[in-house]
Amino acid sequence: MEKIQIIRNLEALFQVCFSKEQNFLRAGSEQNDVRVTFHKHLINTINSSIHLLIFSESTLLTEDWWTKKLPKYKINKRVFSTSPQESRQIEKGYIDQYLIFSYFNFIFHTFESSFRIICENCFKDEYYIIKENGERKKRDIKNLCEVILKKLNLLDKDRENFLEIVVKFRNSLHNNGVFINDNERSPPPYTWKHNSYVFNHGKQITLENNSDLWTEYLRFTREFISIFTEVIEHPTVKKYRFIEDITEIA
């Protein structure tokens, strides 16, 4: 996806999240209510990504940045190639890779953290697995999502596959995008919204139709927002006037 289109898509997501945040605040929600903080944290990630994308595209490749700005911070010019222009392109590539992995990591973390807060407050019995010795263990996020979404009648096969896909993407970040399975086996492809995702043990994740990571991560973000919205609008959760996010200062 072209950089300008990524920025425009991120801006559209920003506006969606900002509108939802403001609607909750106008309705009387507190700043540290998880329904507010979920959207607030998405806003922070999306907005930071937009700014860094613009910076890497419009500023980083200009010699003015290197000759006039960096000396102030006593930073030496980075040399990744004998060609100055190629060196800038390489550094820009490093920043773009850092940004895309960071974006997905923060988006996933925001969803998991907020979803867990809701489950711990509204679905205490389902939040833990009770072992034979009586010990309580928190469910992993995929299992927790499946249990709660099924309970709320919000789970179908397409959404089950989505949860499998995003967790595998998240786990692959630890391996520079390579899918590693504990049993060293490759699962069958997963289909979500008519797209196929192939996970081969020890190899990069394969995307269908020459898709790219930004396209997928933006689609994942929309689905996270959709799931969260459906959960908080469900009567079982909606009856709670305040669900505190203890990580957020009121």
Side-chain angles (χ1 to χ4, degrees):
M1 185 185 300
E2 294 293 332
K3 189 72 63 70
I4 192 168
Q5 189 60 52
I6 296 170
I7 292 169
R8 288 172 177 170
N9 289 341
L10 285 170
E11 176 63 18
L13 283 172
F14 176 93
Q15 294 300 332
V16 167
C17 293
F18 183 77
S19 176
K20 287 177 178 289
E21 178 203 33
Q22 293 302 304
N23 287 342
F24 280 114
L25 291 174
R26 280 193 291 267
S29 295
E30 298 184 35
Q31 286 282 354
N32 61 333
D33 188 301
V34 70
R35 286 160 285 211
V36 175
T37 62
F38 170 76
H39 297 99
K40 186 189 302 183
H41 295 157
L42 287 183
I43 287 169
N44 289 339
T45 295
I46 294 168
N47 197 44
S48 298
S49 299
I50 290 172
H51 290 161
L52 191 51
L53 281 164
I54 293 173
F55 166 75
S56 68
E57 185 72 8
S58 64
T59 304
L60 191 62
L61 295 181
T62 65
E63 285 302 310
D64 181 67
W65 165 259
W66 300 98
T67 57
K68 296 182 180 179
K69 302 295 184 182
L70 288 188
K72 173 183 176 181
Y73 305 100
K74 299 188 184 303
I75 296 177
N76 294 325
K77 181 185 283 191
R78 308 304 191 223
V79 179
F80 298 103
S81 170
T82 55
S83 164
Q85 187 61 25
E86 184 179 14
S87 190
R88 300 291 78 76
Q89 288 286 0
I90 291 172
E91 180 156 20
K92 177 176 171 291
Y94 289 153
I95 290 177
D96 289 345
Q97 184 181 38
Y98 165 81
L99 175 58
I100 195 169
F101 284 157
S102 296
Y103 172 84
F104 178 65
N105 194 46
F106 275 104
I107 293 295
F108 191 104
H109 169 75
T110 295
F111 174 79
E112 178 173 1
S113 176
S114 299
F115 192 85
R116 284 190 178 279
I117 290 169
I118 289 174
C119 294
E120 192 169 16
N121 282 271
C122 306
F123 305 98
K124 291 182 173 63
D125 293 340
E126 288 86 357
Y127 188 63
Y128 296 95
I129 296 174
I130 309 299
K131 296 184 177 181
E132 291 183 358
N133 61 4
E135 179 186 353
R136 296 195 307 171
K137 178 184 177 183
K138 291 181 181 179
R139 296 181 186 273
D140 65 57
I141 185 60
K142 186 176 78 69
N143 180 242
L144 181 63
C145 283
E146 289 175 343
V147 168
I148 301 304
L149 294 180
K150 185 176 182 180
K151 182 180 181 69
L152 300 180
N153 199 29
L154 299 174
L155 185 68
D156 56 21
K157 186 61 178 177
D158 206 46
R159 195 158 270 174
E160 284 183 18
N161 285 346
F162 169 74
L163 296 173
E164 288 280 2
I165 290 164
V166 291
V167 167
K168 285 178 169 55
F169 266 85
R170 194 273 302 271
N171 292 343
S172 75
L173 294 182
H174 303 297
N175 309 305
N176 200 29
V178 173
F179 172 69
I180 303 293
N181 205 2
D182 289 340
N183 61 17
E184 299 185 357
R185 296 178 181 176
S186 300
Y190 293 94
T191 300
W192 174 62
K193 291 189 182 299
H194 309 294
N195 287 337
S196 180
Y197 299 80
V198 179
F199 300 92
N200 290 318
H201 173 72
K203 296 182 179 181
Q204 294 280 339
I205 298 171
T206 302
L207 303 175
E208 189 183 56
N209 299 328
N210 296 318
S211 183
D212 59 72
L213 285 177
W214 269 116
T215 298
E216 299 305 326
Y217 289 169
L218 290 167
R219 294 173 74 237
F220 293 169
T221 305
R222 296 185 193 101
E223 185 67 9
F224 281 140
I225 294 172
S226 176
I227 292 173
F228 189 83
T229 300
E230 290 180 45
V231 169
I232 63 177
E233 288 298 321
H234 194 279
T236 305
V237 176
K238 201 169 184 178
K239 67 182 181 182
Y240 290 82
R241 296 187 62 186
F242 176 63
I243 305 174
E244 183 182 13
D245 181 351
I246 63 172
T247 68
E248 188 77 9
I249 299 175

